[in-house]
Amino acid sequence: MEVKMPQMGESVAEGTIIKWLVKEGDRVEKDAPLFEISTDKVDAEIPSPESGVIVKILVPEGTTVEVGRAVAEISPLGEEDARKPERKKPAEKPPVAAVPSIPPATKPAAPKPEEKAPSLPVPSSSARVPVRMPQMGESVAEGTIIKWLVKEGDRVEKDAPLFEISTEKVDAEIPSPQAGILAKIDVPEGGTVEVGSVVAWIEEDGAAGRQEEPAAPVAEPSRSRERMS
């Protein structure tokens, strides 16, 4: 979405950007101040028209531009920012095997049944968050990935730059929607895809399940504890 120089009066045709109150990569809320302008009639702070991430600042401080000209690009927030997949719970620990009873001395000892090893729990799986080609303008339907700024296996922080794109209106760095590990890149450099298409996957950090061995029966040596990594 483009942020444009607003009309501050009927006879005002241009304005000068005095100061940017945000920087590229910052997340902003709707109606939060973006920058200060000065015209021949008034000085004012201009609010954000949409919640999202500042993808690119097109006009630096001290520059005078015409009313209606784009001065910055905002990438709206995707649905995946508010919706995360539910984590699976580890399997419950199996019950401890009962201790066999000792037979009377006058009778031959009954053969002791073999004990089955307890099943280990399944580690909790890590959730993957899709990274999609953002909407960079109302009439923009696709974008080309110019360069990946990270590679598969790299850890990324939320809002850190992931890749550079080029559209018919703007070139921009796209920030990460989630902190985690870049698990897979689906679209290589030079690939052109439609807006909303998945270009990569980020894997959130998941805690592995842990299992302790149950207490050993009487008259048997104790077993060492096992831990799943």
Side-chain angles (χ1 to χ4, degrees), residues 89-97 116-123 209-216 223-228:
K89 295 181 180 180
E92 296 182 357
K93 186 165 73 173
V96 178
K116 296 182 179 179
S119 58
L120 298 178
V122 178
R210 180 179 297 177
Q211 171 71 21
E212 293 186 357
E213 191 74 16
R223 300 178 181 174
S224 60
R225 297 178 180 269
E226 296 181 2
R227 178 178 296 176
M228 292 187 63

Side-chain angles (χ1 to χ4, degrees), residues 7 14 21-22 55 62 83 87 98 114 164 166 173 179 183-184 192-193 228:
Q7 178 78 44
E14 62 183 15
L21 305 177
V22 294
V55 176
R83 183 179 61 203
R87 295 177 182 271
E114 295 182 0
E164 297 178 3
S166 175
E173 289 185 351
K184 186 179 180 184
T192 300
V193 295
M228 292 187 63

Side-chain angles (χ1 to χ4, degrees), residues 10-150:
E10 293 182 1
S11 61
V12 177
E14 62 183 15
T16 301
I17 295 181
I18 303 174
K19 182 180 180 181
W20 280 99
L21 305 177
V22 294
K23 60 182 182 297
E24 291 182 357
D26 283 355
R27 177 170 174 171
V28 295
E29 300 297 329
K30 185 177 182 180
D31 297 330
L34 286 183
F35 57 95
E36 298 178 3
I37 67 169
S38 176
T39 69
D40 54 5
K41 288 190 175 183
V42 67
D43 295 348
E45 290 184 351
I46 305 305
S48 174
E50 183 66 55
S51 296
V53 175
I54 300 297
V55 176
K56 191 170 185 179
I57 293 176
L58 304 176
V59 179
E61 295 176 354
T63 304
T64 300
V65 296
E66 301 86 359
V67 169
R69 177 180 170 182
V71 299
E73 291 283 346
I74 292 180
S75 177
L77 298 178
E79 295 181 358
E80 59 272 12
D81 292 327
R83 183 179 61 203
K84 296 181 180 179
E86 183 180 357
R87 295 177 182 271
K88 295 181 180 179
K89 295 181 180 180
E92 296 182 357
K93 186 165 73 173
V96 178
V99 178
S101 60
I102 300 175
T106 56
K107 295 181 180 180
K112 187 167 71 171
E114 295 182 0
E115 293 184 5
K116 296 182 179 179
S119 58
L120 298 178
V122 178
S124 59
S125 60
S126 298
R128 286 191 174 185
V129 176
V131 181
R132 302 180 185 273
M133 176 64 66
Q135 177 77 44
M136 303 304 294
E138 294 182 1
S139 62
V140 177
E142 62 183 16
T144 300
I145 295 181
I146 304 175
K147 181 180 180 181
W148 280 99
L149 305 178
V150 292

